[in-house]
Amino acid sequence: MSERQIQLEVLRYNPETDSAPRFQTYAVPCLNEWVVLDALNYVKENLDPTLSYRWSCHMAVCGSCGMMINGEPKLGCKAFIHEYGDSIRVEPLAHFPIERDLVTVVEDFIAKLASVKPYLIPKEDKPVSAGEFKQTPAELMKFKQYTLCINCMLCYAACPQYGLVPEFVGPAALALAHRYNQDSRDGGRDQRQEVVASDEGVWECSFVGACSEVCPKHVDPAGALQQIKVASTIDWYKEHLMPWVKK
Amino acid sequence: MGEEMSRKPYVREISKTTWFLRQPRYMRYMAREVTCIFIFAYTFLLICALGSLADGPDAFQEFLNSLRSPWGVLFNLAVLVVTAYHSLSWFVVTPQAMPIQRGEEFVPGNIIVNAHYGAWAVVSLIILIWGM
Ligand code: SF4
Ligand code: FES
């Protein structure tokens, strides 16, 4: 196993003592198959126990280790050291306030997720005795890709629009709304539209496409947002030009 | 434990004017957006054409002559190049905005993109033949 010394530059911020963040560099002996999260764990265990960051699964499923690595939003547990040079710069996810070191304040994202009602709102009430809601594989395919989101917020860190207009509901939350809208068992689209098709919803998106480029799960939130725009535009025409057509 | 944790989140400000210099992908996006200015300018040119047409044959001939001037040709060439870039940048993202599902599969994105290129070529050809 080959070992390599890297300079890990980490943005540090201690709310109790610091007025602004500053970089601190650690020399870390890395194995070639390590990911950046391993290097951070090495620092925490051997060099500096005060370093704070979030992680849990170490296998790209929990979504908690999002960070900027050389300026790009990445999962720390999926960013292999061998893909980088000898100096790696790590910062907290862009566009989110820094709580401490690499830990960001995520309340805004959580509130936005909740605002799109990300759960099944059944078309009709059905007693349990009436059996399950059936779905064909083709109906599942319609939204499956959007179920893969791990709420890592890399897309929010990539989206310049979210950085400039923090009210923007943003890629992952809107893609999740689309996931339920596309579900054959769901009847909640009208309830979601109020948030989803508002100015701060899809219409704040100018299709930069950065969210889909950085998404580690290939959710393609940008695609979902454009599809919502198309559907909402069709709604508008139906309502204003063909009011006799039922939605 | 039980001690009150003091919170003082630090907000990193983003420049409202130079944000797109941060990332090559933001610059690509801005390039696509800037092409709109050329499309606006060409639309304006078409309105001028209509205006001169309304002013009679002499005025229209003068307008046509101005199009044949070096500046007129240069402008048209520039608009052609920029508009092609504008169109291509939208064609490549059509599979994201308009996916087509057939049964359990999605139609591959390149087929959707190529269909757009095809339609574009056909329409351009018709206009060229018609204009000759
Ligand atoms: S859409 Fe992708 S980048 Fe955004 S939160 Fe979900 S998994 Fe992360
Ligand atoms: S630690 Fe769970 S996604 Fe990286």
Side-chain angles (χ1 to χ4, degrees):
Chain A
M1 280 201 257
S2 58
E3 205 182 282
R4 183 159 65 106
Q5 178 95 0
I6 62 154
Q7 300 297 315
L8 196 66
E9 259 185 286
V10 185
L11 195 69
R12 306 283 320 263
Y13 172 67
N14 180 345
E16 278 135 37
T17 54
D18 299 345
S19 57
R22 70 203 144 75
F23 278 103
Q24 185 168 351
T25 306
Y26 303 97
V28 185
C30 290
L31 295 181
N32 215 26
E33 37 286 300
W34 274 14
V35 289
V36 171
L37 180 60
D38 295 320
L40 288 169
N41 284 342
Y42 180 92
V43 172
K44 182 131 181 131
E45 278 160 27
N46 302 289
L47 306 175
D48 185 350
T50 68
L51 183 62
S52 300
Y53 51 97
R54 290 194 180 106
W55 72 285
S56 174
C57 70
H58 199 292
M59 49 194 261
V61 295
C62 75
S64 52
C65 68
M67 52 189 77
M68 306 302 284
I69 302 180
N70 287 354
E72 182 80 1
K74 291 270 182 198
L75 293 179
C77 68
K78 216 181 164 216
F80 284 88
I81 298 283
H82 64 75
E83 288 169 7
Y84 296 91
D86 290 338
S87 166
I88 303 177
R89 177 177 271 221
V90 183
E91 295 162 80
L93 274 185
H95 305 156
F96 292 96
I98 306 175
E99 186 81 63
R100 177 187 292 260
D101 297 341
L102 300 176
V103 176
T104 52
V105 181
V106 299
E107 277 95 332
D108 181 54
F109 172 66
I110 305 292
K112 279 167 178 167
L113 269 187
S115 76
V116 302
K117 302 188 199 281
Y119 37 79
L120 272 185
I121 303 176
K123 280 201 189 95
E124 71 228 80
D125 269 335
K126 213 162 86 162
V128 176
S129 59
E132 62 276 71
F133 288 91
K134 290 207 174 118
Q135 196 160 52
T136 65
E139 285 169 334
L140 171 67
M141 261 321 271
K142 233 179 144 188
F143 64 84
K144 190 168 172 216
Q145 152 194 0
Y146 309 115
T147 66
L148 303 178
C149 173
I150 56 172
N151 297 336
C152 65
M153 299 175 287
L154 298 195
C155 49
Y156 284 73
C159 175
Q161 206 66 6
Y162 179 63
L164 294 166
V165 185
E167 294 77 28
F168 178 32
V169 179
L174 290 165
L176 198 58
H178 191 54
R179 173 249 174 278
Y180 286 98
N181 288 346
Q182 296 280 84
D183 192 314
S184 59
R185 300 162 297 180
D186 185 87
R189 179 167 179 263
D190 286 348
Q191 293 182 42
R192 292 186 196 102
Q193 275 303 78
E194 207 178 309
V195 172
V196 168
S198 66
D199 287 350
E200 288 77 36
V202 285
W203 299 113
E204 194 62 68
C205 165
S206 54
F207 204 177
V208 180
C211 52
S212 294
E213 285 179 39
V214 303
C215 175
K217 292 289 168 183
H218 309 291
V219 171
D220 190 8
L225 268 73
Q226 309 324 306
Q227 291 165 36
I228 298 176
K229 286 184 197 170
V230 172
S232 305
T233 307
I234 293 174
D235 280 358
W236 190 91
Y237 277 107
K238 277 193 189 155
E239 197 181 319
H240 291 86
L241 302 181
M242 300 183 279
W244 59 89
V245 180
K246 260 191 83 201
K247 256 204 251 172
Chain B
M1 289 303 281
E3 242 175 80
E4 190 60 19
M5 289 285 281
S6 65
R7 286 185 71 177
K8 198 181 67 174
Y10 183 86
V11 176
R12 291 161 286 176
E13 292 300 336
I14 290 177
S15 158
K16 296 254 187 267
T17 47
T18 58
W19 62 267
F20 57 90
L21 299 174
R22 253 192 313 160
Q23 281 263 346
R25 67 165 68 92
Y26 296 168
M27 289 196 257
R28 279 203 301 279
Y29 158 75
M30 278 311 242
R32 185 187 81 197
E33 297 297 288
V34 164
T35 55
C36 297
I37 297 172
F38 286 78
I39 290 170
F40 169 78
Y42 197 75
T43 315
F44 190 69
L45 185 80
L46 290 180
I47 295 173
C48 291
L50 277 180
S52 66
L53 198 60
D55 288 346
D58 290 346
F60 189 60
Q61 192 54 46
E62 200 180 317
F63 173 79
L64 287 183
N65 289 343
S66 73
L67 281 189
R68 290 193 186 104
S69 73
W71 285 114
V73 173
L74 203 68
F75 174 72
N76 270 280
L77 269 179
V79 170
L80 183 67
V81 171
V82 168
T83 315
Y85 176 76
H86 180 92
S87 310
L88 296 184
S89 68
W90 284 112
F91 283 171
V92 295
V93 295
T94 45
Q96 284 176 276
M98 299 186 291
I100 302 172
Q101 193 184 347
R102 298 230 146 197
E104 290 169 37
E105 303 287 335
F106 281 96
V107 174
N110 58 357
I111 295 185
I112 300 178
V113 177
N114 288 335
H116 279 84
Y117 288 150
W120 189 28
V122 168
V123 171
S124 303
L125 209 67
I126 291 174
I127 291 176
L128 273 179
I129 293 170
W130 190 45
M132 277 204 286

